[in-house]
């Protein structure tokens, strides 16, 4: 039997042997302040509907969402990201319900703002939840997205969210020119204080599957590959990033997170804007399913995944695990 003795000056384990030393030398930490909680709003009162493909995540009527936000505030979560899930009867070819002054998200923004002034309210700006065809904008006669018509509607949507009191608008439709169009519309309407978190680097991902159940936003035909990015591409992400920065984005997002940690790191190194990572629905459901089957330790695997996203370079993480993670961190910091 060979007995190789490593010279003791080469022993990294010296720094790992004791918990307090590991804690002292830990390079990255997770805090409830790192998270933004996505929220699905529905019409009605007193409603809280669990999403079948996202156990533990619910659609909330506005009153329930307000109560739920109270829990987020108590746990130290700084912000929420709102999505509206409207009845089919409200959907049309343009998604006009999305810019109604008394629309679902507009009322949700106002109610959450009034009840929790300290909470940051971010609204997702897109059309797939509001169009009868489920695409992220207006379609032309060939079924292709008409980007200039879509940009005009996006401006209407952004202004209506701003009037309702939103802090930040997060356009997610991957429409070329969306950041500039929204910035110009907001400024012209004297909403200079409203910020833009651009879904700058958004891939055409299979991991959005459960979200499309949650938001009732699956395309009725075709897919989103004509506007979202090809998962095989990296350089393309830097072109998207440069454009959104030049158009005036205040923050940029990489989405999804876990299969794209390299991009989070690249974006972190290439720009000085705050970088958000969206730990999307499928990433949530995957860990949740494994945990429910007893195959993974939920707390340990979720915190490890979130820490990995932070280590990759994200300033904050949009995650459906936010409340659970904040509770776990409250009990035992990581
Ligand atoms: C589009 C939008 C999507 C998500 C956020 N905004 C879906 C899509 O692009 O198809 C996905 C988020 C998730 O999967 O958690 N409005």
């Amino acid at each position: 039997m060979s007995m190789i003795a490593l010279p003791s000056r080469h022993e990294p384990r010296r720094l790992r042997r004791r918990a307090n030393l590991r804690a002292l030398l830990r390079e990255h930490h997770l805090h409830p302040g790192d998270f933004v909680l996505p929220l699905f709003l529905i019409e009605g009162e007193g409603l809280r509907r669990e999403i079948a493909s996202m156990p533990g995540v619910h659609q909330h009527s506005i009153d329930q969402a307000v109560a739920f936000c109270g829990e987020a505030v108590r746990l130290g979560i700084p912000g929420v990201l709102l999505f509206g899930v409207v009845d089919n009867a409200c959907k049309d070819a343009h998604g006009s319900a999305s810019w109604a002054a008394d629309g679902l998200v507009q009322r949700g923004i106002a109610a959450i703002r009034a009840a929790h002034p300290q909470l940051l309210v971010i609204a997702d700006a897109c059309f797939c939840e509001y169009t009868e065809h489920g695409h992220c904008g207006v379609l032309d006669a060939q079924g292709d997205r008409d980007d200039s018509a879509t940009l005009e509607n996006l401006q209407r949507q952004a202004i209506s969210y701003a009037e309702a009191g939103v802090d930040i608008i997060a356009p997610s439709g991957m429409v070329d020119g969306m950041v500039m169009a929204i910035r110009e519309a907001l400024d012209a309407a004297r909403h200079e204080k409203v910020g833009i978190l651009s879904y700058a680097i958004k891939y055409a991902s299979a991991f959005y599957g459960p979200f499309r159940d949650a938001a009732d936003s699956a395309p009725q035909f075709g897919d989103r590959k004509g506007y979202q990015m090809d998962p095989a591409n990296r350089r393309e992400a830097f072109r998207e990033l440069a454009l959104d920065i030049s158009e005036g984005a205040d923050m940029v997002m990489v989405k999804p997170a876990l299969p794209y940690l390299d991009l989070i790191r690249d974006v972190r190194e290439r720009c000085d804007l705050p970088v958000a990572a969206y730990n999307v629905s499928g990433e949530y459901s995957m860990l949740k399913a494994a945990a429910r089957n007893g195959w993974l330790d939920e707390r340990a695997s979720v915190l490890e995944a979130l820490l990995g996203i932070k280590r990759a370079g994200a300033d904050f993480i949009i995650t459906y695990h936010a409340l659970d993670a904040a509770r776990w961190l409250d009990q035992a910091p990581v």
Side-chain angles (χ1 to χ4, degrees), residues 67-111:
F68 194 53
C69 287
E71 181 65 8
V73 170
R74 270 189 296 284
L75 286 164
I77 291 169
V80 291
L81 170 62
L82 302 183
F83 295 94
V85 189
V86 298
D87 298 334
N88 278 338
C90 297
K91 300 189 182 188
D92 61 21
H94 295 259
S96 58
S98 69
W99 64 81
D102 64 346
L104 177 59
V105 169
Q106 288 78 0
R107 281 177 281 127
I109 293 168

mmCIF file of all heavy atoms in Angstrom, residues 67-111:
data_model
loop_
_atom_site.group_PDB
_atom_site.id
_atom_site.type_symbol
_atom_site.label_atom_id
_atom_site.label_comp_id
_atom_site.label_asym_id
_atom_site.label_seq_id
_atom_site.Cartn_x
_atom_site.Cartn_y
_atom_site.Cartn_z
ATOM 1 N N ALA A 67 -51.713 40.422 1.135
ATOM 2 C CA ALA A 67 -51.374 39.722 2.383
ATOM 3 C C ALA A 67 -50.058 38.957 2.225
ATOM 4 O O ALA A 67 -49.194 38.964 3.117
ATOM 5 C CB ALA A 67 -52.510 38.773 2.772
ATOM 6 N N PHE A 68 -49.907 38.318 1.083
ATOM 7 C CA PHE A 68 -48.704 37.542 0.802
ATOM 8 C C PHE A 68 -47.463 38.443 0.769
ATOM 9 O O PHE A 68 -46.389 38.086 1.257
ATOM 10 C CB PHE A 68 -48.908 36.856 -0.553
ATOM 11 C CG PHE A 68 -47.943 35.760 -0.862
ATOM 12 C CD1 PHE A 68 -47.741 34.706 0.013
ATOM 13 C CD2 PHE A 68 -47.259 35.760 -2.073
ATOM 14 C CE1 PHE A 68 -46.851 33.678 -0.301
ATOM 15 C CE2 PHE A 68 -46.370 34.743 -2.391
ATOM 16 C CZ PHE A 68 -46.168 33.703 -1.497
ATOM 17 N N CYS A 69 -47.639 39.643 0.222
ATOM 18 C CA CYS A 69 -46.528 40.604 0.192
ATOM 19 C C CYS A 69 -46.122 40.990 1.610
ATOM 20 O O CYS A 69 -44.950 41.278 1.872
ATOM 21 C CB CYS A 69 -46.913 41.858 -0.586
ATOM 22 S SG CYS A 69 -46.984 41.584 -2.360
ATOM 23 N N GLY A 70 -47.105 41.003 2.524
ATOM 24 C CA GLY A 70 -46.796 41.316 3.926
ATOM 25 C C GLY A 70 -45.800 40.307 4.472
ATOM 26 O O GLY A 70 -44.863 40.654 5.206
ATOM 27 N N GLU A 71 -45.989 39.053 4.108
ATOM 28 C CA GLU A 71 -45.075 37.986 4.537
ATOM 29 C C GLU A 71 -43.676 38.224 3.938
ATOM 30 O O GLU A 71 -42.657 38.082 4.617
ATOM 31 C CB GLU A 71 -45.668 36.643 4.069
ATOM 32 C CG GLU A 71 -44.893 35.402 4.427
ATOM 33 C CD GLU A 71 -44.821 35.122 5.928
ATOM 34 O OE1 GLU A 71 -45.506 35.812 6.700
ATOM 35 O OE2 GLU A 71 -44.039 34.234 6.301
ATOM 36 N N ALA A 72 -43.648 38.621 2.667
ATOM 37 C CA ALA A 72 -42.356 38.903 2.020
ATOM 38 C C ALA A 72 -41.638 40.046 2.747
ATOM 39 O O ALA A 72 -40.435 39.961 3.019
ATOM 40 C CB ALA A 72 -42.578 39.255 0.545
ATOM 41 N N VAL A 73 -42.384 41.084 3.081
ATOM 42 C CA VAL A 73 -41.786 42.229 3.781
ATOM 43 C C VAL A 73 -41.234 41.781 5.137
ATOM 44 O O VAL A 73 -40.099 42.100 5.494
ATOM 45 C CB VAL A 73 -42.822 43.364 3.962
ATOM 46 C CG1 VAL A 73 -42.292 44.447 4.889
ATOM 47 C CG2 VAL A 73 -43.201 43.956 2.607
ATOM 48 N N ARG A 74 -42.037 41.000 5.870
ATOM 49 C CA ARG A 74 -41.576 40.529 7.196
ATOM 50 C C ARG A 74 -40.290 39.732 7.091
ATOM 51 O O ARG A 74 -39.446 39.748 7.970
ATOM 52 C CB ARG A 74 -42.650 39.646 7.848
ATOM 53 C CG ARG A 74 -43.637 40.426 8.686
ATOM 54 C CD ARG A 74 -44.547 39.504 9.495
ATOM 55 N NE ARG A 74 -45.411 38.680 8.653
ATOM 56 C CZ ARG A 74 -46.493 39.134 8.028
ATOM 57 N NH1 ARG A 74 -46.848 40.388 8.139
ATOM 58 N NH2 ARG A 74 -47.220 38.334 7.265
ATOM 59 N N LEU A 75 -40.144 38.999 5.972
ATOM 60 C CA LEU A 75 -38.949 38.163 5.812
ATOM 61 C C LEU A 75 -37.764 38.926 5.223
ATOM 62 O O LEU A 75 -36.690 38.352 5.027
ATOM 63 C CB LEU A 75 -39.281 36.959 4.924
ATOM 64 C CG LEU A 75 -40.134 35.886 5.613
ATOM 65 C CD1 LEU A 75 -40.741 34.937 4.587
ATOM 66 C CD2 LEU A 75 -39.296 35.102 6.621
ATOM 67 N N GLY A 76 -37.969 40.189 4.904
ATOM 68 C CA GLY A 76 -36.844 40.996 4.406
ATOM 69 C C GLY A 76 -36.621 40.913 2.905
ATOM 70 O O GLY A 76 -35.539 41.241 2.415
ATOM 71 N N ILE A 77 -37.652 40.478 2.184
ATOM 72 C CA ILE A 77 -37.530 40.432 0.717
ATOM 73 C C ILE A 77 -37.847 41.821 0.164
ATOM 74 O O ILE A 77 -38.890 42.385 0.469
ATOM 75 C CB ILE A 77 -38.484 39.357 0.151
ATOM 76 C CG1 ILE A 77 -37.957 37.989 0.582
ATOM 77 C CG2 ILE A 77 -38.614 39.458 -1.366
ATOM 78 C CD1 ILE A 77 -38.879 36.859 0.337
ATOM 79 N N PRO A 78 -36.931 42.386 -0.644
ATOM 80 C CA PRO A 78 -37.116 43.785 -1.039
ATOM 81 C C PRO A 78 -38.147 44.039 -2.137
ATOM 82 O O PRO A 78 -38.667 45.146 -2.223
ATOM 83 C CB PRO A 78 -35.729 44.212 -1.529
ATOM 84 C CG PRO A 78 -34.907 42.991 -1.618
ATOM 85 C CD PRO A 78 -35.631 41.834 -1.030
ATOM 86 N N GLY A 79 -38.425 43.040 -2.966
ATOM 87 C CA GLY A 79 -39.303 43.371 -4.092
ATOM 88 C C GLY A 79 -40.110 42.217 -4.630
ATOM 89 O O GLY A 79 -39.817 41.038 -4.362
ATOM 90 N N VAL A 80 -41.146 42.577 -5.384
ATOM 91 C CA VAL A 80 -41.973 41.565 -6.064
ATOM 92 C C VAL A 80 -42.036 41.897 -7.555
ATOM 93 O O VAL A 80 -41.883 43.059 -7.946
ATOM 94 C CB VAL A 80 -43.408 41.505 -5.487
ATOM 95 C CG1 VAL A 80 -43.401 40.954 -4.073
ATOM 96 C CG2 VAL A 80 -44.095 42.870 -5.507
ATOM 97 N N LEU A 81 -42.236 40.856 -8.355
ATOM 98 C CA LEU A 81 -42.370 41.012 -9.811
ATOM 99 C C LEU A 81 -43.766 40.525 -10.179
ATOM 100 O O LEU A 81 -44.102 39.360 -9.942
ATOM 101 C CB LEU A 81 -41.297 40.162 -10.514
ATOM 102 C CG LEU A 81 -41.407 40.006 -12.028
ATOM 103 C CD1 LEU A 81 -41.287 41.356 -12.733
ATOM 104 C CD2 LEU A 81 -40.309 39.059 -12.551
ATOM 105 N N LEU A 82 -44.581 41.420 -10.725
ATOM 106 C CA LEU A 82 -45.993 41.085 -10.957
ATOM 107 C C LEU A 82 -46.286 40.615 -12.372
ATOM 108 O O LEU A 82 -45.792 41.180 -13.352
ATOM 109 C CB LEU A 82 -46.866 42.317 -10.684
ATOM 110 C CG LEU A 82 -46.781 42.932 -9.293
ATOM 111 C CD1 LEU A 82 -47.770 44.094 -9.184
ATOM 112 C CD2 LEU A 82 -47.067 41.887 -8.215
ATOM 113 N N PHE A 83 -47.130 39.587 -12.446
ATOM 114 C CA PHE A 83 -47.670 39.093 -13.715
ATOM 115 C C PHE A 83 -49.186 39.071 -13.578
ATOM 116 O O PHE A 83 -49.707 38.696 -12.512
ATOM 117 C CB PHE A 83 -47.207 37.659 -13.983
ATOM 118 C CG PHE A 83 -45.731 37.525 -14.195
ATOM 119 C CD1 PHE A 83 -44.890 37.207 -13.137
ATOM 120 C CD2 PHE A 83 -45.173 37.711 -15.447
ATOM 121 C CE1 PHE A 83 -43.518 37.090 -13.326
ATOM 122 C CE2 PHE A 83 -43.806 37.597 -15.648
ATOM 123 C CZ PHE A 83 -42.972 37.284 -14.581
ATOM 124 N N GLY A 84 -49.880 39.408 -14.631
ATOM 125 C CA GLY A 84 -51.344 39.346 -14.598
ATOM 126 C C GLY A 84 -51.817 38.125 -15.376
ATOM 127 O O GLY A 84 -51.339 37.863 -16.469
ATOM 128 N N VAL A 85 -52.759 37.397 -14.772
ATOM 129 C CA VAL A 85 -53.335 36.229 -15.456
ATOM 130 C C VAL A 85 -54.816 36.538 -15.644
ATOM 131 O O VAL A 85 -55.583 36.500 -14.680
ATOM 132 C CB VAL A 85 -53.163 34.950 -14.612
ATOM 133 C CG1 VAL A 85 -53.568 33.726 -15.422
ATOM 134 C CG2 VAL A 85 -51.737 34.819 -14.092
ATOM 135 N N VAL A 86 -55.193 36.872 -16.871
ATOM 136 C CA VAL A 86 -56.572 37.328 -17.093
ATOM 137 C C VAL A 86 -57.424 36.235 -17.734
ATOM 138 O O VAL A 86 -56.904 35.281 -18.325
ATOM 139 C CB VAL A 86 -56.612 38.610 -17.981
ATOM 140 C CG1 VAL A 86 -55.882 39.753 -17.294
ATOM 141 C CG2 VAL A 86 -56.040 38.343 -19.371
ATOM 142 N N ASP A 87 -58.742 36.394 -17.609
ATOM 143 C CA ASP A 87 -59.664 35.430 -18.215
ATOM 144 C C ASP A 87 -59.566 35.514 -19.731
ATOM 145 O O ASP A 87 -59.275 36.575 -20.278
ATOM 146 C CB ASP A 87 -61.110 35.767 -17.800
ATOM 147 C CG ASP A 87 -61.283 35.658 -16.297
ATOM 148 O OD1 ASP A 87 -60.521 34.896 -15.669
ATOM 149 O OD2 ASP A 87 -62.163 36.371 -15.755
ATOM 150 N N ASN A 88 -59.886 34.391 -20.382
ATOM 151 C CA ASN A 88 -59.834 34.365 -21.841
ATOM 152 C C ASN A 88 -60.701 35.448 -22.473
ATOM 153 O O ASN A 88 -60.358 36.008 -23.509
ATOM 154 C CB ASN A 88 -60.269 32.993 -22.370
ATOM 155 C CG ASN A 88 -59.099 32.022 -22.309
ATOM 156 O OD1 ASN A 88 -57.935 32.441 -22.280
ATOM 157 N ND2 ASN A 88 -59.399 30.734 -22.275
ATOM 158 N N ALA A 89 -61.818 35.755 -21.823
ATOM 159 C CA ALA A 89 -62.736 36.756 -22.369
ATOM 160 C C ALA A 89 -62.071 38.127 -22.489
ATOM 161 O O ALA A 89 -62.501 38.958 -23.288
ATOM 162 C CB ALA A 89 -63.976 36.850 -21.481
ATOM 163 N N CYS A 90 -61.024 38.377 -21.698
ATOM 164 C CA CYS A 90 -60.329 39.684 -21.751
ATOM 165 C C CYS A 90 -59.239 39.714 -22.805
ATOM 166 O O CYS A 90 -58.600 40.750 -23.015
ATOM 167 C CB CYS A 90 -59.659 39.988 -20.414
ATOM 168 S SG CYS A 90 -60.797 40.143 -19.078
ATOM 169 N N LYS A 91 -58.962 38.571 -23.430
ATOM 170 C CA LYS A 91 -57.834 38.538 -24.370
ATOM 171 C C LYS A 91 -58.286 38.953 -25.769
ATOM 172 O O LYS A 91 -59.410 38.674 -26.169
ATOM 173 C CB LYS A 91 -57.237 37.126 -24.412
ATOM 174 C CG LYS A 91 -56.718 36.674 -23.042
ATOM 175 C CD LYS A 91 -55.924 35.380 -23.109
ATOM 176 C CE LYS A 91 -55.495 34.978 -21.703
ATOM 177 N NZ LYS A 91 -54.575 33.841 -21.677
ATOM 178 N N ASP A 92 -57.399 39.623 -26.489
ATOM 179 C CA ASP A 92 -57.678 39.953 -27.889
ATOM 180 C C ASP A 92 -56.379 39.834 -28.683
ATOM 181 O O ASP A 92 -55.366 39.367 -28.149
ATOM 182 C CB ASP A 92 -58.327 41.342 -28.014
ATOM 183 C CG ASP A 92 -57.427 42.462 -27.495
ATOM 184 O OD1 ASP A 92 -56.198 42.253 -27.404
ATOM 185 O OD2 ASP A 92 -57.957 43.547 -27.177
ATOM 186 N N ALA A 93 -56.406 40.253 -29.943
ATOM 187 C CA ALA A 93 -55.242 40.066 -30.805
ATOM 188 C C ALA A 93 -54.069 40.958 -30.389
ATOM 189 O O ALA A 93 -52.914 40.661 -30.695
ATOM 190 C CB ALA A 93 -55.632 40.337 -32.254
ATOM 191 N N HIS A 94 -54.355 42.072 -29.691
ATOM 192 C CA HIS A 94 -53.305 43.028 -29.327
ATOM 193 C C HIS A 94 -52.863 42.929 -27.870
ATOM 194 O O HIS A 94 -51.832 43.462 -27.499
ATOM 195 C CB HIS A 94 -53.802 44.458 -29.578
ATOM 196 C CG HIS A 94 -54.047 44.733 -31.028
ATOM 197 N ND1 HIS A 94 -53.165 45.425 -31.807
ATOM 198 C CD2 HIS A 94 -55.064 44.374 -31.838
ATOM 199 C CE1 HIS A 94 -53.621 45.490 -33.039
ATOM 200 N NE2 HIS A 94 -54.781 44.857 -33.093
ATOM 201 N N GLY A 95 -53.703 42.301 -27.050
ATOM 202 C CA GLY A 95 -53.387 42.259 -25.623
ATOM 203 C C GLY A 95 -53.749 43.571 -24.954
ATOM 204 O O GLY A 95 -53.054 44.034 -24.039
ATOM 205 N N SER A 96 -54.862 44.181 -25.409
ATOM 206 C CA SER A 96 -55.188 45.532 -24.919
ATOM 207 C C SER A 96 -55.544 45.562 -23.430
ATOM 208 O O SER A 96 -55.433 46.614 -22.796
ATOM 209 C CB SER A 96 -56.314 46.151 -25.757
ATOM 210 O OG SER A 96 -57.451 45.315 -25.716
ATOM 211 N N ALA A 97 -55.928 44.422 -22.855
ATOM 212 C CA ALA A 97 -56.220 44.412 -21.409
ATOM 213 C C ALA A 97 -54.978 44.776 -20.604
ATOM 214 O O ALA A 97 -55.081 45.203 -19.450
ATOM 215 C CB ALA A 97 -56.735 43.032 -20.986
ATOM 216 N N SER A 98 -53.816 44.643 -21.221
ATOM 217 C CA SER A 98 -52.580 44.887 -20.476
ATOM 218 C C SER A 98 -52.304 46.366 -20.250
ATOM 219 O O SER A 98 -51.455 46.708 -19.442
ATOM 220 C CB SER A 98 -51.393 44.261 -21.211
ATOM 221 O OG SER A 98 -51.137 44.959 -22.414
ATOM 222 N N TRP A 99 -52.977 47.257 -20.967
ATOM 223 C CA TRP A 99 -52.720 48.678 -20.716
ATOM 224 C C TRP A 99 -53.976 49.430 -20.252
ATOM 225 O O TRP A 99 -54.002 50.668 -20.234
ATOM 226 C CB TRP A 99 -52.057 49.368 -21.915
ATOM 227 C CG TRP A 99 -52.845 49.451 -23.184
ATOM 228 C CD1 TRP A 99 -53.806 50.363 -23.473
ATOM 229 C CD2 TRP A 99 -52.716 48.616 -24.340
ATOM 230 N NE1 TRP A 99 -54.291 50.128 -24.743
ATOM 231 C CE2 TRP A 99 -53.633 49.082 -25.305
ATOM 232 C CE3 TRP A 99 -51.895 47.519 -24.668
ATOM 233 C CZ2 TRP A 99 -53.779 48.480 -26.562
ATOM 234 C CZ3 TRP A 99 -52.033 46.927 -25.914
ATOM 235 C CH2 TRP A 99 -52.969 47.406 -26.839
ATOM 236 N N ALA A 100 -54.995 48.681 -19.824
ATOM 237 C CA ALA A 100 -56.198 49.334 -19.295
ATOM 238 C C ALA A 100 -55.859 50.031 -17.974
ATOM 239 O O ALA A 100 -55.177 49.447 -17.124
ATOM 240 C CB ALA A 100 -57.295 48.300 -19.070
ATOM 241 N N ALA A 101 -56.345 51.258 -17.815
ATOM 242 C CA ALA A 101 -56.031 52.007 -16.591
ATOM 243 C C ALA A 101 -56.505 51.250 -15.350
ATOM 244 O O ALA A 101 -55.884 51.328 -14.292
ATOM 245 C CB ALA A 101 -56.670 53.390 -16.655
ATOM 246 N N ASP A 102 -57.618 50.507 -15.490
ATOM 247 C CA ASP A 102 -58.117 49.753 -14.333
ATOM 248 C C ASP A 102 -57.852 48.254 -14.522
ATOM 249 O O ASP A 102 -58.598 47.410 -14.043
ATOM 250 C CB ASP A 102 -59.613 50.020 -14.128
ATOM 251 C CG ASP A 102 -60.430 49.519 -15.324
ATOM 252 O OD1 ASP A 102 -59.822 49.229 -16.391
ATOM 253 O OD2 ASP A 102 -61.659 49.400 -15.204
ATOM 254 N N GLY A 103 -56.794 47.931 -15.248
ATOM 255 C CA GLY A 103 -56.451 46.525 -15.494
ATOM 256 C C GLY A 103 -56.000 45.819 -14.218
ATOM 257 O O GLY A 103 -55.757 46.448 -13.182
ATOM 258 N N LEU A 104 -55.865 44.510 -14.318
ATOM 259 C CA LEU A 104 -55.527 43.688 -13.153
ATOM 260 C C LEU A 104 -54.180 44.089 -12.535
ATOM 261 O O LEU A 104 -54.080 44.331 -11.328
ATOM 262 C CB LEU A 104 -55.511 42.219 -13.612
ATOM 263 C CG LEU A 104 -55.112 41.149 -12.617
ATOM 264 C CD1 LEU A 104 -56.040 41.169 -11.412
ATOM 265 C CD2 LEU A 104 -55.157 39.763 -13.287
ATOM 266 N N VAL A 105 -53.158 44.178 -13.359
ATOM 267 C CA VAL A 105 -51.831 44.510 -12.820
ATOM 268 C C VAL A 105 -51.814 45.952 -12.303
ATOM 269 O O VAL A 105 -51.232 46.230 -11.243
ATOM 270 C CB VAL A 105 -50.733 44.268 -13.889
ATOM 271 C CG1 VAL A 105 -49.397 44.845 -13.443
ATOM 272 C CG2 VAL A 105 -50.597 42.770 -14.155
ATOM 273 N N GLN A 106 -52.497 46.850 -13.012
ATOM 274 C CA GLN A 106 -52.538 48.251 -12.568
ATOM 275 C C GLN A 106 -53.162 48.339 -11.173
ATOM 276 O O GLN A 106 -52.643 49.031 -10.287
ATOM 277 C CB GLN A 106 -53.343 49.101 -13.579
ATOM 278 C CG GLN A 106 -52.641 49.351 -14.910
ATOM 279 C CD GLN A 106 -52.676 48.153 -15.875
ATOM 280 O OE1 GLN A 106 -53.232 47.093 -15.564
ATOM 281 N NE2 GLN A 106 -52.077 48.316 -17.035
ATOM 282 N N ARG A 107 -54.263 47.617 -10.949
ATOM 283 C CA ARG A 107 -54.892 47.631 -9.614
ATOM 284 C C ARG A 107 -53.998 46.937 -8.593
ATOM 285 O O ARG A 107 -53.922 47.343 -7.430
ATOM 286 C CB ARG A 107 -56.267 46.955 -9.666
ATOM 287 C CG ARG A 107 -57.347 47.882 -10.239
ATOM 288 C CD ARG A 107 -58.687 47.165 -10.339
ATOM 289 N NE ARG A 107 -58.717 46.301 -11.508
ATOM 290 C CZ ARG A 107 -59.037 45.006 -11.498
ATOM 291 N NH1 ARG A 107 -59.368 44.399 -10.368
ATOM 292 N NH2 ARG A 107 -59.020 44.304 -12.612
ATOM 293 N N GLY A 108 -53.320 45.884 -9.051
ATOM 294 C CA GLY A 108 -52.418 45.161 -8.149
ATOM 295 C C GLY A 108 -51.267 46.055 -7.695
ATOM 296 O O GLY A 108 -50.921 46.092 -6.509
ATOM 297 N N ILE A 109 -50.688 46.786 -8.635
ATOM 298 C CA ILE A 109 -49.581 47.705 -8.296
ATOM 299 C C ILE A 109 -50.054 48.706 -7.244
ATOM 300 O O ILE A 109 -49.398 48.905 -6.210
ATOM 301 C CB ILE A 109 -49.105 48.477 -9.560
ATOM 302 C CG1 ILE A 109 -48.444 47.533 -10.564
ATOM 303 C CG2 ILE A 109 -48.152 49.609 -9.171
ATOM 304 C CD1 ILE A 109 -48.205 48.154 -11.954
ATOM 305 N N ALA A 110 -51.213 49.319 -7.503
ATOM 306 C CA ALA A 110 -51.703 50.364 -6.595
ATOM 307 C C ALA A 110 -51.975 49.785 -5.210
ATOM 308 O O ALA A 110 -51.612 50.393 -4.192
ATOM 309 C CB ALA A 110 -52.956 51.005 -7.190
ATOM 310 N N ALA A 111 -52.582 48.595 -5.168
ATOM 311 C CA ALA A 111 -52.941 48.007 -3.866
ATOM 312 C C ALA A 111 -51.687 47.623 -3.078
ATOM 313 O O ALA A 111 -51.594 47.860 -1.865
ATOM 314 C CB ALA A 111 -53.842 46.790 -4.077
#
